[in-house]
Amino acid sequence: MNNYRKYFLKKGIWYILTLVIALSLNFYLPRMIKGNPVDSILSKYKSVGNTDTRKKLYETFTKEFGLDKPLPMQFLIYLKNLTKGDLGTSIMMYPKKVNAVLASALPWTVGLQLPAILCGWLLGNVLGAFAAYKRGVYDKIIFPISLFVTSFPFFIFSIILLYVLGIHFELFPIGGGYDYNLIPALNFEFFKSVIRYHTFPFLSIAIVMIGGQGIGMREMALYELNSDYVKYSKFLGIREWKIIQYVFKNAMLPQITGLGLSLGTMVSGALITELVFNYPGVGTTMFAAIRNLDYPLISGCTLIITLAVLLSNFIIEILYGIIDPRIKSAQLEDS
Amino acid sequence: MLAGCGSKSNTKSADVENTTKTGETTTEKTQNEKTAAENKTDDLRKETLFITGLEWGPPSSFNYFTGVASFPVNNQNNMLVYETLFMYNGLSGEIEPLLAESYKWIDDYTIEVKLDKRAYFNDGEPVKIEDVIYTYELGKRYDILWSSLWTYIDSVESKSDDTIIFKLNKKDYNILAVTESLTNVPIHPKHIWEKIEKDANYDISEINKFFNESPVASGSYKIYSYDDTKITLVRDDNYWGKSKFGKLPAPKYITHILFKSNDAASLALKRGDLDYSQNFIPNVWKMWEDGAEVRTYLEEAPYYLSDSMPSIYFNLSKPGLDNPDVRRAIAYAIDYKKIIDIAMNGYSDVVEPALTVNNELESKYIDKDAIKPYQWKYDVDKANEILDSIGAKKGDDGIRVLPNGVRLGPWKLECPYGWTDWNATLEIIQQSAKKIGIELETYFPEDTVYENDRNTGNFDIVMSTPADVITPAQPWKRAHDILSAKELPPFGEQAYWNFGRYKNERAEKILELIPAEKDIERLRKLYTELTIIYLKDIPTIPLMYRPTYFFTVNESVWTNFPHENDGTGIPPYCFDGAGIKSLYNLKNK
Amino acid sequence: MRSSLYILLKSPKFMIGVCLLFVFFAFIVIYPMINTNDPLEMVNMRFQPPSSKNILGTDGFGRDVLLEMAHGTRTSLTVGVISGLIATTVGLIIGIFSGYRGGIVDEILSSLTNVFIVIPSFIILILVSVSIQAKSVFIIAIIIGLTSWPWTARAVRAQTVSLRNRDHVNLARISGFNTVKIIVFEILPYIMSYVVMAFIIQLASGILSEASVSMLGLGPSNTISLGIMLNWALLQEAPLFNAWWTLIPPALTVALITFSFYLINLGMDEIFNPKIRS
């Protein structure tokens, strides 16, 4: 167990370091955007013509958003507020708080991406392993299709899906999170509507993932199947089913790492998909915030996204550490 | 609220649902009570008018004084809640009585307005002279929309318990501003807002924090519910106007849906989920060609009645652009027809350069023959001729250079990202300029950056609509917004008109004379002279005509919307000025 | 080397990929020579379906889609190549140094690399794109290149580490060659195939990144690229007009080009990674 502890500790520290850098980037980068957000609030107050009043309003807002202090000082205040869980006030939806905005957007994103990515990953791996094992017909059909499908970035696929199935065949609705006629409520009608609107974005992400994972898994599985221990086991007469289990387990490892590595890209791609379908998640919110130079909201969104990716990576690394016996032995070796 | 309509079916269901709705005084989101039943009913759909295009984001406030209130309290569209003394009819040019009965000019400097004694607020209190005086005087105490009005008014007093006297300022004499205020100052109840003022310590920023969820007002509707996706109003069956108009507005509920994108809204209109839209809808005729019961105010092209003129403003301080011949050349080079056909979908006529829009109402103010010699039109050869005549020679890269060394470009053509018809317009202009050797580059920043650039003068050429509002003060207001430098903040500070900072003394003088003039002949002379000055100096170039409201309706549930030659004289919009009369005539199909 | 090339030519995946690419390449070179018009010119009404006048119809501005595709693909490929070069070079340098030197240098560079892998580079890409106002194709390519190198760096480092202790490298070290010489002559040739494959992937992902960024309206200004075409099509409500010709061709082109690169890569992978050879 000591060995595990060392492994996790090392990983933990590294992740915290990454977190700090991520926070700094999250803070500084949006503020590099040209333009003064207070001006954007003020430009809405057309009725206020008097320059003096404008100046006063300008000062009030600047102070409220802490924009009059030097940047490093703002960063410290930001960190302090962060520990209290206060992500600030949104500028474009003034006076709504960033937390409130994110709270209404986050469930949609998580509800979309989590099942889509997991589903895609699992199905893709199963399909890939299957294709690798059976070879023959399955391999010749599934493989090229998967390869083609995986070349599509999520949002490109979603555009095609949107057009072909949405407009042409009118199978599913093409935008939004739910029927605009309904108010969010815990009832069947609402859920039915949510699922209908969820289908397209879900499919866009899941199908492409299946393709990608399928290929990777097939490669890994082939690699394993050709390796010595499999051949040896076959000679030894070990049952096929058991061999497959071993193969699968070994092939899974790089897939898990792969998942961790590409999580960032996948989340980003899924966010654009949200945009294509006007899905009311974090993606749409963030892009609207960028359009409106809403620093606190931009930082809030990027923070959530980064945190999510970091967290998932961390979990994956832990999982990996538990699953992969080589890690354990490496730790044993070191000590 | 739950609208029981499916997106495709129009089944006449005989089942009546027991909807739990009171619709009177509650504005709380009672969404838990609104259970979705399998029995969808047409009745609710028939009672509701679904609209869009008046509001874009979730409600931020229903407090008119913030300046950024949401529908139904937002500026120009507040008539259903806070009413004004008179309603302006943009079609006839008349101001029609609402809270007031009539007005009379006692002498050149005094207007007498008679209040309609039947009017009362939705809390039962009558609308009194004191409320009118109080509302106007708020403009003296705080910096709000009608504060500038007090430059032109000396006092607002009561003559009797139903008559108000407006005394105009003799030195700063402006009939138009005062008349305009009769149609756009929303009368607030003194007994409510006095207290709010006091509680806020007479500090406007504190007053603005008051959300005003259930406005006490005199209008025909009250706020029923609101959230991120829609705002619902419910009719006040106790509305005082019943005696004035003889009936109540037809829709029991009005629901404004907040779409996240224009195409979702267009699709909803096509399907009949929306009854009324004020959005720009590309290729609208395709909708009824495809069988939808969609209609516009005009049956044939251009389908919409235009009353505004989006234009490009030149930054007159930039070398090259400060040369009127360069500006004139650009004016001749622009393919206006292409703009109408491609960017505007043919929704208006090709623009005839002037300060006025080419409708009947405004055309009577100018002498068309007198301004004709100064007007330009699409003529690339003439454009090249002009540039050649001032010695602007083409360099190796095809771009002209003035004799003083100033290169004609690169200049940024700016408008907000995502306003696709404007984006397309500027792209056409960019291409047009290429042909005469001027280098323009389109630049589409985010809305807020654009607004800031435009207001502070941080642009080369920017697109904007001067005086984009329906008011009896047109066309003076538009002329003012294009030409007036009076009290104009300098470059670097926020200005809300004349973004290029044009200055002309004679024009300024005329702009002061017009609002003091009542005689139509003399007005004509003044406007014509002003127009000629404008056409000679070209501080802006009008690009197209455009309706302030793109009136498009789907008549599958509600019919009898205003349309051309229907004899009612109601303008083509339902929520501004006299347009609200249309709500009384609506009928279910 | 020659034998490798020969094997490559016989690999069906590799050849299909190359042929596909060649078709596109020929298109973007030859078509503009036939149709010398300005792709930005409005030639017809908006959203006209494909006809004899406009083979792929017109877009929301009234521009010829086919001509726009020729220029747009060119832009997209340019961005891909430039960003791919930058990313691969940076990744290569960092990866090799980190892998070869080991020790503290390795720790620092590795951590740095990992940080940038985990923090979604796309977010950084967007933020930087928004803050720079006037963007040319080169600037976009540079930004993409500078935000996507970590992947290559990590892969190169892994390879370098495994090579570090090979006999020939040790021999060179003992013989007294300096670090740079060792890297160039002893290590680089062995990972060359890997580097080429990495470049191809970076190229493809560069094209995708450009398409993504342009789709959000943050792409290069005053040019045409496939992503920008998609962006405008969506903004101008093309789906509402059933204007598939403004959406499907650019989308498919992006997919097909990426597809061809993946095929090439797979083909090469099978050659250079014998355990996968089927």
Side-chain angles (χ1 to χ4, degrees), chain A residues 51-70:
Chain A
T51 343
D52 280 336
T53 322
R54 288 197 66 79
K55 285 208 178 86
K56 211 166 81 127
L57 270 175
Y58 191 87
E59 278 162 23
T60 323
F61 277 120
T62 312
K63 212 171 291 176
E64 172 155 0
F65 286 100
L67 294 171
D68 50 341
K69 305 202 180 62

Side-chain angles (χ1 to χ4, degrees), chain C residues 11 16 55 72 192 250 266 277:
Chain C
S11 153
I16 298 179
I55 305 178
M192 222 28 206
L266 260 180
R277 230 176 267 170

